[in-house]
Amino acid sequence: MSFIVAIDGPAGTGKGTIAKLVAKEFGFMNVDTGAMFRCVTLAMIRENIGISQSEKIEKLLNEIKIELKEENGEQVVFLNGEDVTNQIRTPEINSFISDISKIPQVRTKLLELQRKIAQGKNVVMEGRDIGTTVFPNADVKIYLDASSEERARRRVIQNEEKGIVMTYEEVLESVKRRDKEDSERKISPLKKADDAILVDSTNLTIDEVAQKIYSIIKEKM
Ligand code: DC
């Protein structure tokens, strides 16, 4: 038996933090699907592969090894055995990722991987299309949202912690661009599933969002 919690929504809504808390609270496995798209993006940049080079992309996808592990309570991401946890969260990756997440071969490969990882397990999986495409029959579907201004404000704080220098205006622009590209792409666009529960985190603390989601999950268990 497996119990699946799908958390979807745009960047900066706190999906990552919430998924981590849910995993801890219920002892579920946490699957960050954005990290998988980030690994493919990093691999393509490193190998200098363009988005229209189908054959090269196919080869890369056949050979790529992406692993999500937990070490001391923190998620560690491995690309072909190398720890790339920090390297996949740079402005450079953010600027390429929407184009790479549109590539049908990339989506097919990661869809397979996401379903395989969850097989027979209790998982909380966060991304953009989990409740709509990856697990349309998920036990709990949450769509986490927040205003773009609030999301940009949060990202500026995260960037400062990581030593990334970007103004609020630049971050807001990048947040809006990625929202637009993620929700307008043809395959698996970012969209609230009809049966997903909308949680707006604009004026809520992380703890308030977490409590809300815990009670939704407990009701379904
Ligand atoms: O959650 P994140 O910001 O790490 O995701 C990075 C990008 O990956 C996001 O802009 C779109 C893509 N993505 C996707 O297309 N489908 C998913 N399930 C998860 C992420």
Side-chain angles (χ1 to χ4, degrees):
M1 276 298 283
S2 84
F3 191 92
I4 308 235
V5 178
I7 305 183
D8 290 301
T13 48
K15 291 192 308 290
T17 310
I18 293 297
K20 216 189 278 176
L21 290 172
V22 168
K24 201 163 165 216
E25 177 77 11
F26 297 95
F28 287 6
M29 180 187 180
N30 178 13
V31 186
D32 168 4
T33 63
M36 297 177 175
F37 285 90
R38 289 174 181 276
C39 279
V40 175
T41 305
L42 179 62
M44 284 182 56
I45 293 174
R46 281 179 172 177
E47 301 201 15
N48 209 3
I49 302 177
I51 54 169
S52 52
Q53 294 180 293
S54 294
E55 275 175 31
K56 286 191 176 171
I57 296 174
E58 197 63 45
K59 183 165 180 288
L60 178 130
L61 292 172
N62 284 332
E63 292 168 357
I64 203 167
K65 193 168 164 215
I66 299 169
E67 295 163 289
L68 307 178
K69 296 186 185 165
E70 215 181 87
E71 289 179 3
N72 307 320
E74 291 297 319
Q75 174 182 267
V76 188
V77 183
F78 292 90
L79 169 62
N80 300 327
E82 176 193 348
D83 179 351
V84 293
T85 313
N86 296 323
Q87 289 172 68
I88 56 169
R89 296 189 194 277
T90 62
E92 187 192 17
I93 298 285
N94 288 346
S95 69
F96 284 108
I97 199 157
S98 292
D99 281 336
I100 289 176
S101 350
K102 275 183 209 157
I103 304 172
Q105 292 153 289
V106 172
R107 299 214 72 87
T108 306
K109 166 79 183 186
L110 295 185
L111 175 68
E112 275 169 22
L113 184 61
Q114 288 151 13
R115 289 189 177 150
K116 198 163 142 201
I117 285 181
Q119 235 165 40
K121 299 193 187 84
N122 296 329
V123 300
V124 48
M125 190 175 281
E126 53 117 341
R128 303 289 187 287
D129 61 340
I130 313 306
T132 52
T133 306
V134 185
F135 289 111
N137 298 319
D139 299 276
V140 174
K141 293 186 192 177
I142 307 287
Y143 190 87
L144 201 53
D145 210 349
S147 70
S148 42
E149 288 73 17
E150 174 60 17
R151 291 186 285 122
R153 198 188 63 79
R154 293 175 188 170
R155 178 70 31 111
V156 168
I157 297 170
Q158 281 174 355
N159 281 352
E160 276 168 6
E161 286 164 1
K162 289 194 238 163
I164 297 172
V165 184
M166 271 173 91
T167 65
Y168 168 81
E169 285 73 23
E170 283 168 337
V171 174
L172 180 62
E173 174 62 32
S174 143
V175 161
K176 287 187 173 166
R177 183 183 53 79
R178 202 135 62 88
D179 283 357
K180 184 168 155 40
E181 297 200 10
D182 287 349
S183 46
E184 289 179 359
R185 72 167 170 246
K186 284 202 195 88
I187 314 172
S188 280
L190 167 68
K191 183 173 163 281
K192 179 188 164 300
D194 292 336
D195 54 350
I197 299 171
L198 174 70
V199 176
D200 188 326
S201 77
T202 309
N203 297 308
L204 298 179
T205 63
I206 284 286
D207 190 51
E208 286 167 332
V209 177
Q211 295 304 330
K212 213 174 208 186
I213 293 176
Y214 294 169
S215 56
I216 296 170
I217 295 172
K218 282 179 188 154
E219 244 173 60
K220 296 271 181 145
M221 279 178 102

